[in-house]
Structure formats: C-alpha cells, structure tokens
Amino acid sequence: PPPTPSPQSYHETTPRDCSRSRRDRLSGDLPSTPRSLDRVLRRIPSPLRPPSNARRQLLPWRGLAARSRGANMGIGEFEAEGDGGEEDEMSVKEREVSVNGLSIKTSEVEAKLDDGNIQEAESSLREGLSLNYEETVSKAVELLPELWKQAGRYQEALASYRRALLSQWNLDDECCARIQKRFAIFLLYAGVEASPPSLASQIDGSFVPKHNLEEAILLLIILLRKWHLGKTQWDPSVIEHLSFALSICGQTSVLARHFEELIPGTFARCDRWYSLALCYSAADQNHSALNLLRKLLKKDESPDYIMALLLAAKICSDDCLFSAEGVEYARRAIANAQVAYEHLKSVGLHFLGNCLGKLAKIASSDHERSTLQSEALRSLDEVVSLERQNPEMLFDLALEYAEQRNANAALRYAKEFIDATGGSISKGWRLLALVLSAQQRYSEAEIVIDAALDETAKWEQGPLLRIKAKLKVAQSLHMDAVEAYRLLLALVQAQRKSFGSFKNIVEVEDENVSEFEVWRGLANLYSGLSHWRDAEICLEKARTLKPYSASSLHIEVLSTYGMPNCILPPHLNEMEDYNWQNSLLPEMEKIATLGLIT
Amino acid sequence: MSADPAAPAESSAFWQSVQRAQAAIQSLSLILGSLPAAVASSENPAAALLNDEAVAREVSIRLRRPGSGAGDDNLCRWLYDTFQSNDPDLQLVVLTFTPTIAGVYLSRAISREPLAGFEAVLLALYAYETVIRGGDLETVILPNVANPSVYHEAKAPPKKGAVELNVAVVSPALEPYGTVRSTKRARIVGVALELYYSKISSMPLSSKLALCEFCMVWAGQYIGTKAEGETSVSEPAAIAPALAAEHVEEEAVAAAADENGGKEEVGEKEAASGEAEADENGGKEEVGEKAAAAAENSGKEEGEEKAASAPADENGGKEEGEEKVASAPADENGGKEEVGEKAVAAENDGKEEGEEKAAAADENDGKEDGGEKRAAVGADENGGKEEGEVKAAADKNAGKEEGEVKAGQRIPLPWELFQPIVRIVGHCLLGPANPEELKTTAYAVVERLHWRATHDMNPQEILATRSLLRLGKMGDDTIAEPQISTNSDDYSEEALKMKARLT
C-alpha cells in the first residue's frame, strides 16, 4: 500500500505545490516506481511517441497541466520554476487543474483549503483528478504492451508484458488478470518466438516456463485459480484459450481436470459433461467418457444432444460389449439429425454401421448375424453414397465386407481407399494384402506389401514385415520367411534400443510388433520345419522376454514331443501347479485367432 | 534485418546478403519474365521481394498451374536453391509460398502426379527444421500450480523431488528423410507448416490468406454441394461470403486448367518418360544428401540411422532381386516409383468404370482381378511394358485432375497435419493486429475445420476447433486494443481517458 501522504506536505495551497509535493513523494518514498516505465516510454519510436505535451500528460507525475479557460492562456507548466508571469495570469477566475486526462475546477478545492480542511481538500483533489498514483501506474503498465503490439514491435511487447507481470507494480487483481490474459493470448497466437524470462526474475525452486505454449498455459491456469479464489470475475474466454492450448499439445486429460474443477453454474451441466467426455475420449479413457455420456443422455437430462449421441456411438463402436448400446445411440442421433444437423446424419449412419457390424460378431444365431450384417452394410452403403469424398468410409466398408467373407467387395473398397488416400495410410495397404491373402493370392499380396514397404519409413515397417513373413510361411517359402523374420527382428531390436531413451517414446504404437512375437513366429516356423534345435533357441529367447506365455509353451510342447529321446523339461511339469487352464486359456484362443490371419 | 553499415565486418556481411538477394532476384526474373523495378533496385532486395504483392501473385499463379511442381519445374528449383542459400531473409521469401506449395501438393499428391519439384522444396524445409531441432521432439512442461512459478506464489514451499510435472509432446522427434514416402507425406508437410508458423509474424497477408483458402479445400465440402442448395441451411450464415469468394477462385483455377489442358498432358507424358524421372530422382537425391549431411551434426541421429539402416539396406537389396527391376540398381528411388506406379496402373484399370458408376459390381470385380494379375506379371517382367503402364497411369491422372481441382480435394487430415494448420488458423483469427479480412476468412476456416472434426468425430480436433470457434464468436471485446494514431488530437484529455480505462 502507498504511504498516506502527510498533511504537512500540503501546507501550501496552490495546485502547483500540490504537484510538487507529489513528485517529491514519488521520487522519494517509492523507489520501485516508474523510472523504468519512463525510460521505456522515451524509447518508443518517433511515430508512436506522443508530442511532448501529450507525453507529459500521459505521465502525470512529470507535471500537472493547468489551463485557464476564461483567458484561453494555454498550458502553464507548474513544474517550470521560472515562469512566474504566467502564474499571475493563472490567478484569474475559473482556474482548472487537469491531470491524468481529467480536469476539475480549483475553486472547490481552494474553498476547502480556505476553511482549513486540508484533508478534505486532498481527498477531493484525489477523487476529482484520479490523483491516485497506483491507478495511474497500473493503467500505464497495462497500456504499454498494447502500444508495442499495435506498433508491430512484438519483442518489445513481450518484454513489457513480462516487466508488467514480474515487477512489483502493486497492481490490483483485475488489472493483473487482464494483463495476464492478454499476455497469454499474445503468446498463444502471435507466432512470435519468445525467449524464456530472464534469470533475474527467477526465485529459487519456482517454475520457469521455457516455451511460448508453456508460459501461456501457466498464465491461463493461474487465471483460473484466481477466479476460483474469488479474486477475479469469471471470464469465459480463459477456459476456451486453455482448452485450445491443452488440446494442441494433446493434454486433454489435464484439461478434463480443469473442466471438473469449474464451479457449478459456469457451464450448463450437459455442456460440461460433453466437454469432459471429449477430453477423456481424446485421452483414450473411453470408459470414463462413456459413463459421462450415459449420464448426459438420460431421459431427464439431454437425451437429444446430437453431438453427445454421436460421440457415444463412436465409443461404443470400438467394443463388441457396447455395440448394442451404440446402435441405440446412433439411431437416436440419426433421428435427431434434422434440418440444422442434417449433415451429421451420415456420421450417425457411419457409427450405426460399425456398431451393427460389431454386434453381428457376438450374435447368438446365424439368422440374427446375417440380419445384422446386412443392416450394417446397408447403412455403410448409404453413407458412401452421401459422402463419397470420405475415404474413412471406404475403409470401414472394406473391413465390413472382409468380416463377412465377401472378399471381392472388400478388395474393391480397399483399393478405393488406397486411391482416395494416395496410399498415405498404412492400414489401407495392410487390409488389401490381408484380403488378397484370404483369397490365397499370396504373390499379389506380397506385391502390395512391397509397395507399402516402399511408402513407409523404416521405423514403421514392423507390421508390414510381419505380414510379409506370414505370407512367405503360407507359401511354404521357408527360407524367405526366415529372412523376413530376420529383418523384422533387426528392426524390432533397433527400435527397442532407441526407445530406451525418451526421444522416441511417442512413436511406440499399439500396432508395433513385439520382439517376443518375432521369436515365437520363428520358433513356430522352425518347429514346422522340424528344426527342433533352432526352434528351441528361439523359444529360449522368447522365454526370456515373457516367461509364462501359453503360445511359447505350446510350441515347446510340440518341439519336445518332436525331439527324440527327450524328457519333458521340468518347468512344463510345474505348469500343472499354476492352474494354467484358467489363466492361460484365453491367451490360447487369441493365438488361435492370430494364426488365422494368414 | 539489415546490418549496421558502420561496422566493417557486419557491413561486408550485409553486402554479401544484398548480393545474394540480387542474384536470387536476377534468377527469378529469368523465370517470371520482368520483375517490378522497385524490387530489383531496392536497398533491401530481400525485404522488397518478401513484401511485393505482384511477385507473390505471379509466383503463386505459376505454382498453381496444372503440371507445376514436377522435377523440371524451374520455379521449384529456384525456391529450393533460394532456401538453401541459408540467407534468413531469402528463406523468409521462400516460406511465404509454403501454403501454396503445400496446398497444391497435398491436393495433387493423391492422384500420384509427379511432383518432385514440390517435394524437393518441402524436404528442404523439413531438413532445415530437423537440423534446428537437432531431430528432437518438442515438449511442453505443464505447470503444477501447487508449486510456485515466476508468475505466482504458492502457499506450500516446493518439495524437492516430489514435483509432479506433466510433459506434453507438441511435435514428435524428426527423422531425416531423403524422399517423400506417402505415409510420411503428412508429417513432412506438417513440419514445413510448423516452420512456417514459427515465422508467421513476418509473413505477408496474401500468404496467410492462401493458407486459409487451402484449408477450406482440405477440410472438404458440406454434403450435397454438388447439387441442391438445400443443405446450405446447415451452413452458418457467416461462412457464406467466404465460401462464395472461394468458389470464384476455384472456378478461375479450373478455367486455367481447361485452357492449358493440352499443354498439361504433354507435360505429364514428358514427366513419365525416363529422362524426366531421372531428373526427379536427381533432385531428390540432392535433398537426401543435404539432409544426411545435416544429420551428421548430431551424433545421436547418426547412431540411430545406422541402427535402422541394417534392415533397410537388406530390404532394398532383396526387393531388387525379387522384382528384377531393370533400371539402375543403385537408384533405390527409381525402383520404388516404378512399383508404385505399377500399382496405380493396376488399380486404375480395375477402377476405371467404377468411377463412372457405370459398371455393375460383379463386372468390376472381374476387371480388378485382371488388373491385379497384370500387376503381378508386370512385377516379374521389365522393359517396355512397364513404361506403357506408367504412361497409362499418368494419362489417367491427367484426365482425373481437371475434375478434382474444381471440386476441391478433401484430404486425410491426421493430427500431424491438423495441428499445425489449426495453430496457423488460430493466429489468423486471434493474432495481434490482423486485418479484418483475414479474421473473417479465418473464422470461416475454423468453422469448416470444426465441421470436418465433427465428421471424423475426433475429440481432440473437436476441442481445438470448438474453442477457436467460440473465441471467434466472442469477438474483439475480449481483446481490447487501443486506437493509437500519430495525430496529436488523439492525446486530448478525452482520448487519453478512454485509453487509460481500456477495459
């Protein structure tokens, strides 16, 4: 808080002295004040720099300007010591004091002073002229970066924002919040590269942002916190800027936390749930997202919220268990896709098709399955006719046909998908190869895989090489298969080594091939060739990676019985103790299906 | 920008940069014809070139021409050479055209035209960014407000070691690439756009508008735009003017395509012939070399490259053996392209009638089988037959393209492409001191991107575009900017009062 001015300093009664004493106080009592700001203002380039008079007005502590209205005498400078002549002129009636862009008549103040009411005179001066030093400073501090920004001097703007926020200006909460928000916006959208704040402003152990985005996010989070603490008013743009920034860097789970923390009433409940569901779904927490959407789509909430219905349908279409529920959501979305949302009808149909396809997989009877399948195809076909440009549809249609063992149609759409995406999406190539191999057209499938390998960077070739190896196995080209596995192994091992560092961690995807899988594939291949020793070596490797895998044990059993005069190794006997049927059977089933791929 | 002429060392550097810029302008004038005198005789030629609208317009018209961006495209070569001059001001000039290059390239790449010229420029930008980042990923540390920061204090003193920090990846690690593989296309263009974004405050308006225009095309169109206007009910009113403007421009492009139709076909055939292809590969290899040289800067990368090269080399060798590709065995790239084009040829054969919706499904299937088999045969053989097929593919694409430019090609927008786009559009919408025209256009783009995100039902994209949409709607009242002019009248008490309030 500023020191209350001592009444003694007002012992003289002219406005001039008033200004004087103010100046003295400024330079004396408050050392941390506007010297630097003044310096900065002086450095403003010439077109921006106000004419000298105006500049003085902008900086009230430099001088009070008084204007005698009646005589129209021009501006007299109270701080100018020598111009006593003008002061005489000032003593004409109707004098005015102006400062800070405000002016009042002096008569009122003078009257109070005459009565000896010094304190009252002071307060009326303060009120009338906004002679509140802090207010003036905070306005100047707030204005300066905006001026730089307008002048296109972004580095200076950045520096003055930081100076405004990092120095002790004693700004009030709202003013500080405004500056913080504008700075965050500037950092987010100006596209200016900012160096981190200087070391001077760092306190030991405190967090120092090193990146535009980092700094913007920090400021926005601080703003939200201030609002939570009741220091500032609710500003809806803050959460929007934050959600832009956090979704840009893929941190939607953090965003979800901020949505959750919002005080009830800031958002409609349904909107908040939908936003949360978006955040969770983007962060791969689909179950949480679905739970929220279920709440939101209840009869007494917003059962017709079309975006929520679509999101729910999409989440359900990923999992057989929820597919029935998804069908329901998709149907409701389609029913609600009227007039304004008509373009969303195709989205609804898309997820309806996917959910029906999934549902068909777990159908209890053949009749039910075939009904569901044809219904799935019908809705997917309809989307393709509505939205011919959308390649994703072609892929889903191809997949659905493949599921239904209609290889020709699957082939057609898989090719269309590759055409429509220019071969830029790897799963298209893989699907085409798999469909071809399902038709036992292995050599053609291989050509597709080779073409895909050419279009794929080294690190992402794993899944393609695996298919290639299996294709070779299927053609009984065992030595070629061994070679393909060898390549795959080299890739996987190189990946494992470099993934040890943080550098590439994001590139690890679900579809990447594991080293264990390669060893197991090789073991399988060798045991098929009755190369028991080689199979044994591969199994040994596999076992070091995953000691208790049903599939490698399975191969081991085969190879053990295949080998002459061999006693069952001890750990196979021990397996009995593990009650392995219960724990391992599901995995056996998985292996069985995996085996079906080729 | 320009150095202080007083210091001798800096002054010579300054003159060198002026000379470089003049040389670049000289060679550009050979390509474009005459350049405005103001550019050629400017004291700061690079800056003049950057901000000259006439040159920008001429270059972007040429970049959009049908058949542009091939390996023998002089303009692309100029852009490539100019960027490789490593003069920061000249590099900015090249970056100005990133939106147009990326836009034309991505729209055409799907139809597999030869675009080695564009690819060389994009790879140069990618390699530059790779070197700058040292191949590392870009991360952001998300602050925990429970701990103090430079901007706030926390009640609890920071506990050492217990600080929980969230690390977010903004841009994944960069591997050096010598060619554009189709699955890496989006990433390479995305990184080029990230580079563009980092310099966006220096970019002229026309360049940003070009990006907005292409975003509209990439995002795709509302359903039923081919026929009735009924569905336009679903379009928010604000988008309408921008859309109309875009259509006019598209029409113009299409008209140009029609005019040059004949020429274009010739160009395509030339590109398909062996010579042009060799040329292309030459260009690519050059880029590759530079990228590799750049990669040597960081030891880490090199190590990884080696690790990866083991399977890669063997893979390459094997392929050659299997497929008996006749053309130069050292030229891995050549082999690749032929395989790719064979595939196209085969697929196009099968698809031909499907596109026209004339053939019944069964018939089509039969045809495809044929096409597929031919591809298989093609792979085992070599020589003249291949060339014929490649030509057929190229011709087909040429025919296809005219229609596509007109319709606007919706392209796959994976996050690696969507993210830089949405950041650039965010700048156009909410950046400081943007003209109204840009803001209006950017708002329309955000709407379109949001539409696309909801159609793909991609939550992350929906969140990002929805926020921008809402912020755009909130309008300027959230961002107060004082009106400053040099007119001294503005410093009257009233004006100052207004500014000082600045709520």
Side-chain angles (χ1 to χ4, degrees), chain A residues 47 189 215 243 423 455 458 486, chain B residues 151 182-183 312 314 427 467 482 486:
Chain A
Y189 307 107
E215 199 164 356
S243 67
E455 297 294 350
K458 306 279 176 287
R486 208 176 60 75
Chain B
Y151 292 119
S182 67
T183 52
E314 285 164 60
H427 162 85
S467 302
T486 49

Side-chain angles (χ1 to χ4, degrees), chain B residues 396-449:
Chain B
K396 246 204 100 49
N397 288 334
K400 223 174 172 182
E401 187 212 23
E402 276 177 39
E404 277 165 3
V405 171
K406 200 170 183 178
Q409 176 92 40
R410 166 182 171 144
I411 59 164
L413 284 180
W415 181 246
E416 52 199 1
L417 197 52
F418 197 92
Q419 185 217 37
I421 288 175
V422 89
R423 291 184 82 181
I424 294 171
V425 176
H427 162 85
C428 295
L429 183 67
L430 300 165
N434 280 335
E436 211 47 46
E437 182 194 4
L438 183 60
K439 286 184 185 170
T440 321
T441 316
Y443 187 73
V445 173
V446 171
E447 278 184 319
R448 187 74 76 86
L449 287 175

Side-chain angles (χ1 to χ4, degrees), chain A residues 219-414:
Chain A
L219 287 167
L220 290 168
I221 293 178
I222 291 173
L223 279 170
L224 274 185
R225 190 183 166 83
K226 279 186 177 170
W227 170 72
H228 281 301
L229 297 173
K231 285 182 182 168
T232 57
Q233 300 248 306
W234 168 246
D235 179 346
S237 66
V238 172
I239 188 84
E240 297 301 339
H241 288 298
L242 185 63
S243 67
F244 176 76
L246 287 176
S247 47
I248 282 299
C249 49
Q251 290 292 311
T252 50
S253 54
V254 177
L255 179 61
R257 213 165 57 225
H258 288 291
F259 270 119
E260 270 167 7
E261 282 171 6
L262 291 182
I263 295 166
T266 43
F267 269 107
R269 187 163 52 178
C270 293
D271 286 336
R272 187 206 297 250
W273 283 341
Y274 173 61
S275 302
L276 277 173
L278 281 176
C279 292
Y280 285 127
S281 168
D284 278 334
Q285 301 175 31
N286 276 331
H287 284 265
S288 312
L290 189 58
N291 282 335
L292 281 162
L293 291 169
R294 280 177 182 145
K295 264 167 53 160
L296 160 59
L297 292 169
K298 271 182 191 160
K299 269 208 180 82
D300 45 356
E301 294 289 345
S302 301
D304 299 335
Y305 199 138
I306 188 160
M307 293 304 294
L309 284 168
L310 290 174
L311 183 61
K314 187 203 172 189
I315 294 172
C316 291
S317 72
D318 287 342
D319 194 334
C320 289
L321 289 175
F322 303 124
S323 48
E325 198 183 339
V327 169
E328 167 72 19
Y329 292 136
R331 289 213 168 110
R332 270 159 66 185
I334 295 166
N336 281 307
Q338 310 294 343
V339 198
Y341 296 113
E342 208 188 331
H343 65 103
L344 293 175
K345 191 180 168 192
S346 60
V347 188
L349 282 168
H350 181 177
F351 297 132
L352 177 63
N354 286 355
C355 287
L356 286 168
K358 276 268 160 45
L359 197 57
K361 278 187 176 177
I362 51 168
S364 50
S365 71
D366 283 348
H367 172 71
E368 194 188 342
R369 183 181 302 115
S370 66
T371 319
L372 288 169
Q373 282 182 338
S374 59
E375 213 177 327
L377 278 182
R378 221 177 17 251
S379 45
L380 289 178
D381 269 329
E382 196 180 338
V383 192
V384 171
S385 66
L386 280 173
E387 233 182 298
R388 213 159 166 91
Q389 274 197 323
N390 185 354
E392 203 55 31
M393 286 315 309
L394 300 172
F395 182 83
D396 283 352
L397 203 51
L399 202 60
E400 187 56 38
Y401 275 119
E403 298 271 9
Q404 301 186 16
R405 309 287 184 267
N406 183 344
N408 284 338
L411 198 64
R412 181 169 75 240
Y413 285 111

Side-chain angles (χ1 to χ4, degrees), chain A residues 47 147 150 189 207 214-215 240 243 247-248 275 314 343 408 419 423 444 454-455 458 460 486 503, chain B residues 137 141 148 151 181-184 312 314 351 365 372 419 427 455 457 460 466-467 470 482 484 486:
Chain A
L147 287 168
Q150 275 235 315
Y189 307 107
F207 175 74
E214 219 167 273
E215 199 164 356
E240 297 301 339
S243 67
S247 47
I248 282 299
S275 302
K314 187 203 172 189
H343 65 103
N408 284 338
D419 267 356
E444 289 160 63
D454 279 328
E455 297 294 350
K458 306 279 176 287
E460 281 120 55
R486 208 176 60 75
K503 194 169 179 261
Chain B
L137 39 72
I141 298 172
Y151 292 119
R181 294 164 192 269
S182 67
T183 52
K184 282 284 139 195
E314 285 164 60
K351 239 189 75 182
D365 281 353
E372 210 46 47
Q419 185 217 37
H427 162 85
H455 270 237
M457 251 304 144
Q460 200 175 356
R466 190 182 72 161
S467 302
R470 287 179 178 177
I484 304 290
T486 49

